[in-house]
Amino acid sequence: SGPYTLVLADPPYYDEGALAVVQAIAASPLVDAETVFVLEHHQKAPPPETLGALPLYRSRRHGDTVVSIYAGEVVT
């Protein structure tokens, strides 16, 4: 009903429309400055600098998979 505190997104790597859906969710009222948004993606697809209003905080690679974390506030 209100903004989420955590969003985990693992869209299909090769679906060309997946990032647009992720961006739409990040720009919706369900995500605000206190939300942590975690996006899993292929290493060959660089993460966007922002998702909605959330800046990229950190990315970590594990094999061909990258986990990118977006947060409006510093995550500790």
Side-chain angles (χ1 to χ4, degrees), residues 12-72:
Y13 288 169
Y14 302 107
D15 183 342
E16 295 179 11
L19 185 57
V21 172
V22 169
Q23 287 281 16
I25 294 168
S28 78
L30 297 174
V31 175
D32 68 9
E34 294 181 17
T35 302
V36 175
F37 201 115
V38 180
L39 174 64
E40 184 176 320
H41 55 93
H42 194 273
Q43 69 165 342
K44 292 183 180 178
E49 289 296 316
T50 61
L51 279 182
L54 299 175
L56 178 62
Y57 171 68
R58 177 177 290 166
S59 289
R60 293 288 184 246
R61 182 175 163 207
H62 305 280
D64 288 340
T65 299
V66 178
V67 175
S68 294
I69 301 169
Y70 296 82

